[in-house]
Amino acid sequence: MSGFFKVVGQIASIVAMVAPMFGPVGMVVGAIAAGVAVVANVLAVVLAEPPAARGSVSQVMIEVEALRPYAMGEGYLGGVRRADIGYGPTTDDVPNPYRWSVDVYSGHGPVESITPYFDFDVIGGDYSGYVVTRTRLGACPEGAAMLPYWSPSSLTEWGSANKLSGCAAIAWNLKFDKNGEKFAAGVPVQGAYGKWVKVYDPRKDSTFPGGSGTHRLGNEATYEWSENPALHYGTYAYGRYQNGKKVMGVGLPADGIDWPIIAAWANVCDANGWAIFGRVFEPGDRWANLKDMAMAGGADPTFSGGLLSVRYQAPRVVLGTITEADLGEGDISTTRMQPYGTRINTIVPKFIDPDSSWELMSLQKVSFAALVTQDGEEKSKEWPFNLVKDATQAAQLGAYRILDAREESPIELPLKPEWRHIRPGDAWRLEIPSLGISTDAVAIKRTLDPKTLCPKVVWMAETPSKHAAALGTVGVPGPGYPTGSTTVNRDTIAWRLRQVFNGALLDGGGAEAA
């Protein structure tokens, strides 16, 4: 809930509690409070705010109690450092000539693949004899601990008992030479390019209605790698387990998740070419993690009939018509348009840009000129899509946010008991002349009176043409920034400068040194 409506809801709760103290006047006040609470709750459903930006995925995290990363999709990530030790006997007048570093990239595995990178690229042959890496995909249990290549017996802080079962990780063993020809400019940026966690796909499960294949929910040996946002959302909601213990995710029961909707949503993500990439952390806000995963696939989490579900963006088939004869008893609330401040016409999407060292970067703004003209000014909002790496995908998702903000909503209607089967995401035609309503609409929230079984449904008008407008949007990256010199060039330049500098000191700064 946004800050404003959260405060309104709190005020309404306080007023409702104190109202009975004031007799008949208090009853009036209590009724007003109830109305305020309904408005706050309904508007909070519709007026989504941008998530907090998660920041860089490419930097190595060094913290005392580092969080556990959970990596999804395909791309480059910096690790969470678990060990960093200098060791070894003095060699060629260099004390502690070896370095042993261990970085975890995903706290759940096994992942599909993992490749060590220096400065955002595969490690070249120039480092042969100076760098040896060990990789683990995250098997549980890990077959054997990663051990140093150079002088393992002299590394007393790390041994065969130091396993990282269930974690996708890289161990870096570096050797420093006396002349400093390697690592003259310091150790390059370390990271990994991978295809990360595997997921459950109900469409590949022959026990799921309409499914075909060997996938089985809860049996991670049957899971496969995918970058489909819907599949990551469903798998994370169910939870990730190792040795019978949940290590990641929400941990909902299998029958607490709306798998048919997730399967349908997965088909839409495939058709649109929408992918997920990035990482979340635990312990942390699992609901925020779910929202970011859903957002990568153009969806918002919802609850329907006690099930975790989603309301996703896609052209809808109108299931029928709701008329005045279908209205039940209760309050009716209609808003001809969303508040002016929320009816944005421009958005600046942010996404993980592979061409800018995998940093969270801004696209050029996405805007609809007709809406700007209609409003008489540009009303812009920055929106980070924390788990999106494709510019056009981020632009399309941003366009959907603009167009949703222009739809007539919220429309809150009480219906008769026979309409209790309506679920969030369903599209119906609303024909209620007395309220001036004649529109296609999508259910975005439904509550059920347990005594009467009468549903109260919150609707958002649906303009069918918005899907073509949103999916026709093309993302244009901002200026970004270059990765810089290659590792080898950087080391060569630093080494030569040092030789020149040393020569200048020896020669007294003469012309030859210059």
Side-chain angles (χ1 to χ4, degrees), residues 272 274 298 313-315 347 349 363 366-368 371 385 390-405 407 462-475:
N272 292 342
W274 288 347
Q313 297 286 4
I347 205 166
L363 288 171
V366 174
S367 186
F368 291 89
L371 299 180
F385 293 98
D390 181 77
T392 291
Q393 179 181 344
Q396 292 171 347
L397 297 174
Y400 265 123
R401 291 286 165 179
I402 295 173
L403 297 172
D404 267 358
E407 295 282 18
E462 175 82 349
T463 305
S465 60
K466 75 179 180 184
H467 300 289
L471 296 176
T473 305
V474 176

Side-chain angles (χ1 to χ4, degrees), residues 51 83 102 121 148 278 338 404 423 462:
V102 180
D121 203 354
Q338 297 180 44
D404 267 358
R423 307 195 313 171
E462 175 82 349

Side-chain angles (χ1 to χ4, degrees), residues 112 122 141 248 267 432:
E112 181 73 6
V122 177
M248 286 284 182
N267 289 333
I432 308 175

Side-chain angles (χ1 to χ4, degrees), residues 315-366:
R316 306 286 177 175
V317 175
V318 175
L319 302 177
T321 302
I322 295 174
T323 68
E324 295 200 42
D326 301 309
L327 297 180
E329 296 183 359
D331 297 328
I332 295 174
S333 172
T334 64
T335 304
R336 306 316 303 174
M337 64 177 62
Q338 297 180 44
Y340 183 79
T342 65
R343 298 176 69 242
I344 57 175
N345 52 46
T346 301
I347 205 166
V348 180
K350 301 187 75 172
F351 79 118
I352 299 172
D353 186 3
D355 294 327
S356 297
S357 299
W358 300 87
E359 294 292 333
L360 194 65
M361 303 296 290
S362 295
L363 288 171
Q364 293 185 21
K365 64 185 179 183
V366 174

Side-chain angles (χ1 to χ4, degrees), residues 320-328 330-336 408 410-416 419 422 428-441 455 457-459:
T321 302
I322 295 174
T323 68
E324 295 200 42
D326 301 309
L327 297 180
D331 297 328
I332 295 174
S333 172
T334 64
T335 304
R336 306 316 303 174
E408 181 181 342
I411 303 169
E412 186 179 23
L413 301 177
L415 301 175
K416 292 180 177 179
W419 294 97
I422 288 179
W428 291 80
R429 180 74 185 177
L430 304 182
E431 288 290 352
I432 308 175
S434 64
L435 300 177
I437 298 175
S438 178
T439 182
D440 293 346
V457 183
V458 180
W459 303 87

Side-chain angles (χ1 to χ4, degrees), residues 374-496:
Q374 178 182 324
D375 293 338
E377 62 176 331
E378 183 180 283
K379 295 189 297 179
S380 179
K381 183 174 289 186
E382 186 176 77
W383 203 291
F385 293 98
N386 291 308
L387 300 179
V388 173
K389 66 174 181 179
D390 181 77
T392 291
Q393 179 181 344
Q396 292 171 347
L397 297 174
Y400 265 123
R401 291 286 165 179
I402 295 173
L403 297 172
D404 267 358
R406 315 295 298 201
E407 295 282 18
E408 181 181 342
S409 187
I411 303 169
E412 186 179 23
L413 301 177
L415 301 175
K416 292 180 177 179
E418 56 264 33
W419 294 97
R420 62 185 180 274
H421 62 277
I422 288 179
R423 307 195 313 171
D426 288 350
W428 291 80
R429 180 74 185 177
L430 304 182
E431 288 290 352
I432 308 175
S434 64
L435 300 177
I437 298 175
S438 178
T439 182
D440 293 346
V442 174
I444 60 175
K445 183 180 181 182
R446 188 209 66 175
T447 56
L448 198 65
D449 187 322
K451 293 183 179 180
T452 65
L453 296 182
C454 290
K456 183 172 285 187
V457 183
V458 180
W459 303 87
M460 175 184 285
E462 175 82 349
T463 305
S465 60
K466 75 179 180 184
H467 300 289
L471 296 176
T473 305
V474 176
V476 180
Y481 58 89
T483 301
S485 302
T486 65
T487 304
V488 175
N489 287 342
R490 190 181 59 172
D491 279 342
T492 300
I493 293 169
W495 181 78
R496 288 178 177 173

Side-chain angles (χ1 to χ4, degrees), residues 56 228 239 406:
S56 173
N228 187 299
R406 315 295 298 201

